[in-house]
């Protein structure tokens, strides 16, 4: 027994001692709700370029936000990087972020909140994805508000009531159309007997598998399904893209054909949403943190986001790949809406609980 | 009498007191945290959230799923355990290993695999032309969870079957029972602790699962709980739901304690038990192979094959070797010590519970299970608050992560050790004591070798769970510490299955190696015993 016993004691002690090292003081610590899969190479790029040690803690927006709140003053984090305006707004409401200097806040061409506590990093759009074998886009409504009227969609709709971007969309509807209209829209949708997914990935797979025929989602999920999205090293090579498309062509038989439908110009169903980042109150090196935010807004990082993650830039002049709707047209389709109002999450959550979705 | 003896032991033997105190603290801290957070809720909103029809439906779903999974896992695990312990089936070792491996498959991977297999565009339809409706809801969750959790029952039952003294069966046969009667009246009752321990783990696993039920779109309590945390940035109402989930767990634990009461299964005669004579299967062999092979194909072959297929697409662009290496090291350096520590902590607790049966010692044992049932996210948040308040220098260190794993998964370690202890006769230890050994020495030289098999299974359980763990790792790991599981999840979450595949396969491969090593030790343990006899 003792051999067994000793082996583990030694291992355990060793590990505990190893672990007690702690981090270096001049490290930039980022809490990233954005998935490692999407931003890892961007962080390495920065690390090489700026020659500073960067450490990232990945998690979900909500997990990290909860952790930040429980950590309080003792948080080791410098930057909070999130997927949604809702999460960033929540961080603002809980006094976690500091105001950014104009040098950072003036860089993006749009969507900067008036309190300047965070900066937008990329843009995404709400869309309706559909199975083009089963659905004729002519039959789809002009406005997302009329979607519940398409009774023939019963049992064929997918949505993500608990997912942040969907909730942002509901908040926008509540703010612009009022709570009652939103409630009846939600109830109308519920009458279509939709399939509820916890996130967009399983939903888009269900769409590709023919389980549902339309899905309320974000634009890049369709692109990622069709164009492979974040694969290979980023070069932005057109030829490579075409090759991938051909490959995909052969594989499409393994899944249903998925296309993107956009509602008419200015409709809420095309709403633009942003990802963003801010510097935390607890940061002991806000200058380094601000430099990182500047990097996220640089041509290099913005172009990376467009080509590899298929999200839209927030600075002017960055091109998006050809298979994406051009920046200006996409922005033109989205309704006028003050993104800051997405911070008013609580009434939305009450509404969702009220109709039994949460 | 036993209560005072137990208290005596706690007072005089530090190697019992320290682990017990540690475990109690490790479970009570999160519980206290949850209460503090829950009390911050606005009473009206809380009332609306707790008292509503939806919760009743969630309760029904949760219990229905748990019962279903228990049924299916029993149907899989029992015959498999019997085949690998009581028959002469060649290749039993391989079958055993295959019966453990599903524990290395993360639940959400299993769910994605099953989803990719079925449906109009699924693998089955593509390759064999079989169109099976795409799995979802109750049946999908039932299948995925059963395939992922039956090893808990299988290994516990195996340990129990191996520990049954064949002399008992032979006596029963000699006294006129038929083989069948011996099985029902002598063998089955002996398996009760093992069955309960395994069943408890399966049940608690189902109660706490989120990965599978969310992908299969089957709403249970933990599903609703997750939505509160993830969707609503809400720690407070989530805490309330977590407490409701814990209340359900307490009910299950009570039930188990009732069923365990008053068991006494060890040998009372002198000498060591022999190995039982294996049943000659002859033609039945093929039925055995068909069953074992079928289970292995579905629970191991299918996930490995599908994930391998996902990876095949990406192999051309090269595998991320460097990242695979560092995440493998991260996973192993946290999981191995955690497994050891959990077994170390679980031993005195199981020992107290079995040897000094009283309401008091059993409560300690049950409390350890509460740690397992506390939702991992809440558990991690509680440890953040506690560590920063009490030992801030320990925050986000590997030591903290290892401790958190060990405390959270200790319940998995208790069952097998407990089953082994039930079958280890206490009079041997008493004899060693009367021959002059210290209490610790007597335990080490007599009881420990008898419970080694249980210990090995415990270590395997905790290791495999820690390798897959997500929420605790996300929140408590040192910054920049990325395990295989974190990488798998991160890519799968973004639908990049090709990129996720190498990490998932590495988890499975190394888990297989580790468990294989443990099983070899089990074989030698058995071998030594046979020789000794």
């Amino acid at each position: 027994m003792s051999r067994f016993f000793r082996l583990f004691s030694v291992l355990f002690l060793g590990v505990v001692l190893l672990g007690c090292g702690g981090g270096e003081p001049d490290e930039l610590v980022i809490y990233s709700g954005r998935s490692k899969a999407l931003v890892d190479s961007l962080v390495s790029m920065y690390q090489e370029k700026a020659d500073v040690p960067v450490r990232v803690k990945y998690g979900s927006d909500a997990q990290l936000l909860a952790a930040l709140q429980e950590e309080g003053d003792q948080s080791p984090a410098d930057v909070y990087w999130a997927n949604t305006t809702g999460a960033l707004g929540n961080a603002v409401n809980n006094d976690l972020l500091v105001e950014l200097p104009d040098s950072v806040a003036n860089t993006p061409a749009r969507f900067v909140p008036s309190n300047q506590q965070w900066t937008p990093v990329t843009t995404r759009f709400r869309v309706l994805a559909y199975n083009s074998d089963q659905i004729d886009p002519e039959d789809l409504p002009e406005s997302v508000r009329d979607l519940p009227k398409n009774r023939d969609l019963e049992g064929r709709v997918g949505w993500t009531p608990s997912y942040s971007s969907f909730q942002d969309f509901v908040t926008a509807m509540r703010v612009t159309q009022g709570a009652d209209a939103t409630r009846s829209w939600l109830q109308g949708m519920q009458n279509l007997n939709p399939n509820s997914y916890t996130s967009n990935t399983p939903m888009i797979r269900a769409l590709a598998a023919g389980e549902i025929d339309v899905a309320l989602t974000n634009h890049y999920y369709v692109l990622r399904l069709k164009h492979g999205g974040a694969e290979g090293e980023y070069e932005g090579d057109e030829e490579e893209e075409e090759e991938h498309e051909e490959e995909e062509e052969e594989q499409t038989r393994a899944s249903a054909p998925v296309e993107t439908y956009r509602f008419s110009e200015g409709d809420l169903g095309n709403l633009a949403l942003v990802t963003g980042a801010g510097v935390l109150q607890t940061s002991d090196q806000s200058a380094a943190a601000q430099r990182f935010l500047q990097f996220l807004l640089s041509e290099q990082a913005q172009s990376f986001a467009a080509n590899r993650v298929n999200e839209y830039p927030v600075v002017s002049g960055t091109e998006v790949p050809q298979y994406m709707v051009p920046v200006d047209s996409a922005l033109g389709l989205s309704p006028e809406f003050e993104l800051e109002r997405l911070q008013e999450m609580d009434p939305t959550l009450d509404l969702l609980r009220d109709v039994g979705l949460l | 009498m036993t209560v005072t003896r137990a208290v005596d032991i706690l007072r005089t033997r530090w190697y019992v007191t320290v682990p017990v105190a540690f475990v109690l603290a490790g479970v009570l801290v999160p519980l206290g945290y949850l209460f503090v957070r829950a009390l911050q809720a606005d009473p009206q909103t809380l009332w609306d959230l707790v008292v509503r029809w939806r919760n009743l439906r969630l309760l029904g779903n949760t219990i229905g799923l748990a019962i279903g999974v228990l049924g299916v896992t029993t149907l899989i695990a029992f015959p498999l355990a019997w085949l690998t312990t009581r028959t002469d089936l060649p290749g039993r070792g391989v079958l055993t290993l295959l019966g453990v491996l599903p524990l290395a498959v993360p639940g959400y991977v299993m769910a994605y695999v099953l989803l990719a297999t079925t449906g109009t565009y699924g693998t089955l339809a593509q390759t064999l032309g079989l169109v099976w409706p795409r799995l979802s809801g109750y049946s999908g969750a039932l299948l995925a969870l059963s395939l992922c959790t039956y090893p808990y029952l299988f290994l516990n039952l195996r340990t129990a079957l191996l520990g049954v003294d064949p002399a008992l069966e032979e006596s029963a046969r000699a006294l006129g029972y038929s083989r069948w009667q011996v099985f029902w009246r002598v063998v089955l009752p002996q398996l009760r602790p093992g069955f309960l321990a395994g069943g408890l783990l399966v049940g608690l696993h189902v109660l706490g699962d989120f990965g599978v039920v969310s992908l299969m779109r089957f709403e249970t309590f933990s599903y609703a709980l997750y939505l509160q945390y993830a969707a609503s940035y809400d720690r407070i109402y989530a805490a309330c739901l977590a407490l409701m989930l814990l209340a359900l767990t307490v009910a299950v634990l009570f039930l188990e304690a009732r069923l365990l009461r008053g068991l006494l299964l060890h040998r009372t005669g002198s000498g060591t038990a022999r190995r039982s004579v294996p049943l000659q299967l002859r033609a039945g062999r093929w039925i055995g192979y068909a069953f074992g092979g079928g289970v292995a194909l579905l629970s191991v072959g299918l996930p490995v094959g599908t994930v391998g297929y996902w990876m095949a697409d990406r192999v051309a662009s090269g595998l991320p070797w460097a990242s695979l290496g560092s995440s493998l090291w991260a996973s192993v350096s946290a999981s191995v010590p955690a497994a050891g520590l959990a077994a170390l902590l679980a031993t005195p607790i199981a020992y107290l519970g079995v040897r000094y049966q009283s309401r008091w010692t059993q409560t300690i044992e049950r409390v350890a299970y509460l740690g397992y049932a506390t939702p991992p996210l809440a558990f991690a948040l509680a440890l953040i608050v506690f560590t920063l308040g009490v030992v801030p220098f320990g925050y986000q260190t590997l030591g903290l992560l290892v401790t958190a794993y060990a405390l959270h998964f200790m319940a998995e370690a208790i069952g097998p050790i407990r089953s082994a202890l039930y079958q280890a006769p206490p009079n041997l230890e008493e004899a060693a004591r009367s021959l002059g050994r210290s209490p610790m020495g007597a335990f080490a030289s007599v009881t420990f070798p008898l419970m080694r098999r249980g210990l090995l299974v415990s270590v395997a359980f905790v290791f495999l769970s820690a390798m897959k763990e997500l929420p605790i790792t996300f929140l408590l790991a040192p910054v920049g510490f990325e395990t295989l599981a974190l990488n798998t999840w991160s890519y799968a979450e973004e639908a990049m299955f090709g990129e996720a595949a190498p990490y998932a396969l590495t988890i499975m491969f190394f888990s297989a190696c580790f468990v294989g090593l443990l099983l070899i030790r089990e074989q030698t343990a058995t071998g030594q015993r046979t020789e000794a006899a």
Side-chain angles (χ1 to χ4, degrees), chain A residues 1 19 31 35-37 55-58 70-71 74 162 167 195-196 201 205 209 211 224 353 358, chain B residues 33 37 52 134 217 228 231 235 388 395-397 448 474 477 479-480 482 487 490-491 493-494 497:
Chain A
M1 100 127 200
Y31 277 21
S35 154
K36 181 193 173 200
R55 280 185 186 261
V56 191
K57 185 172 204 53
Y58 293 102
E70 300 297 9
E71 284 172 352
Q74 288 164 289
S162 58
Q167 291 179 349
N195 282 5
S196 300
T201 293
R205 306 242 342 151
E211 185 176 290
R224 220 175 274 163
R353 288 193 186 115
L358 265 187
Chain B
Y33 164 84
R37 283 286 169 264
R52 54 178 185 168
R134 197 166 192 259
R217 298 184 297 108
Q228 288 302 318
R235 301 170 290 160
L388 283 175
Y395 187 55
Q396 290 188 347
T397 58
F448 187 86
F474 269 128
V479 177
E482 282 151 19
N487 277 304
S490 169
Y491 286 109
E493 174 71 355
E494 299 299 331
F497 294 98

Side-chain angles (χ1 to χ4, degrees), chain B residues 169-463:
Chain B
E169 290 169 65
E170 283 152 20
S171 316
R173 286 279 280 162
L175 291 170
Y177 274 1
S178 70
R179 252 183 190 284
W180 204 221
Q181 281 172 317
V182 170
F183 179 73
W184 276 108
R185 303 202 185 162
V186 180
V187 180
L188 268 192
Q190 291 251 352
L191 300 183
R192 206 158 75 179
F195 181 79
L196 287 174
L200 192 60
L201 285 183
V202 171
L204 293 183
H205 193 95
V206 173
L207 293 191
D209 172 77
F210 170 72
V212 170
V213 290
S214 69
L215 287 176
M216 292 296 179
R217 298 184 297 108
F218 187 69
E219 298 194 351
T220 60
F221 252 115
S222 53
Y223 181 93
L225 175 73
Y226 171 86
L227 296 191
Q228 288 302 318
Y229 270 115
S232 329
Y233 309 107
D234 194 317
R235 301 170 290 160
I236 291 166
Y237 300 108
C240 304
L241 278 168
L243 286 175
M244 288 165 80
L245 189 63
L246 279 173
L248 191 61
T249 312
V250 171
V252 174
L253 289 173
F254 259 109
L255 189 72
E256 200 234 0
R258 277 203 85 85
L259 293 172
L260 258 185
R261 193 163 296 162
L263 278 186
L264 192 72
L265 300 172
H266 54 76
R267 282 167 61 89
T268 47
S270 56
T272 322
R274 279 174 295 110
R275 251 179 89 74
S276 59
V277 182
L279 182 78
Q280 311 244 313
L281 276 185
R282 297 191 187 93
R285 197 170 277 192
W286 297 110
I287 303 175
Y289 279 133
F291 178 78
V295 168
L297 190 69
L298 213 56
S299 61
V300 181
L302 186 64
V304 171
T306 311
V307 175
Y309 172 75
W310 286 335
M311 191 166 87
D313 265 1
R314 291 292 179 275
V315 166
S317 56
L319 286 176
W321 288 115
S323 168
L324 268 179
S326 64
S327 16
L328 174 64
W329 170 241
S331 285
V332 169
S333 65
S335 305
V336 172
L341 182 61
L344 219 59
L345 289 174
T347 305
I349 294 198
Y351 188 83
L352 273 183
V354 173
R355 285 288 191 267
Y356 304 95
Q357 277 200 19
S358 72
R359 187 162 297 179
W360 202 81
T361 52
Q362 301 225 319
T363 309
I364 297 181
E365 214 181 304
R366 306 290 116 176
V367 164
Y369 276 92
L370 278 187
Y372 189 61
T374 309
L377 197 57
F379 188 81
L381 288 174
L383 282 185
I384 291 182
V385 175
F386 180 77
T387 327
L388 283 175
V390 181
V391 278
F393 56 87
Y395 187 55
Q396 290 188 347
T397 58
L398 190 51
L400 174 65
L401 186 65
V402 167
T403 314
Y405 279 166
L407 285 175
H408 186 62
F409 291 122
M410 199 187 45
E412 293 185 347
I414 291 182
I417 295 179
R418 187 173 70 184
S419 303
L421 274 174
Y422 267 117
Q423 290 165 336
N427 50 7
L428 283 182
E429 207 176 316
E430 283 154 18
R433 288 275 281 138
S434 68
L435 291 171
R437 294 279 177 122
S438 68
M440 184 68 167
F443 172 79
S445 55
V446 176
T447 308
F448 187 86
L450 289 178
M451 53 180 271
R452 204 162 100 178
R453 195 184 288 136
L455 266 179
L456 290 175
V457 173
S458 297
V459 169
F461 276 166
V462 178
F463 173 79

Side-chain angles (χ1 to χ4, degrees), chain A residues 55-97:
Chain A
R55 280 185 186 261
V56 191
K57 185 172 204 53
Y58 293 102
S60 72
D61 284 3
Q63 274 173 358
L64 293 172
L65 207 52
L68 280 169
Q69 281 171 271
E70 300 297 9
E71 284 172 352
D73 299 343
Q74 288 164 289
S75 175
D78 299 303
V79 172
Y80 178 52
W81 190 3
N83 281 307
T84 61
T85 323
L88 290 160
N90 197 291
V92 171
N93 292 340
N94 284 297
D95 280 333
L96 294 175
L97 302 174

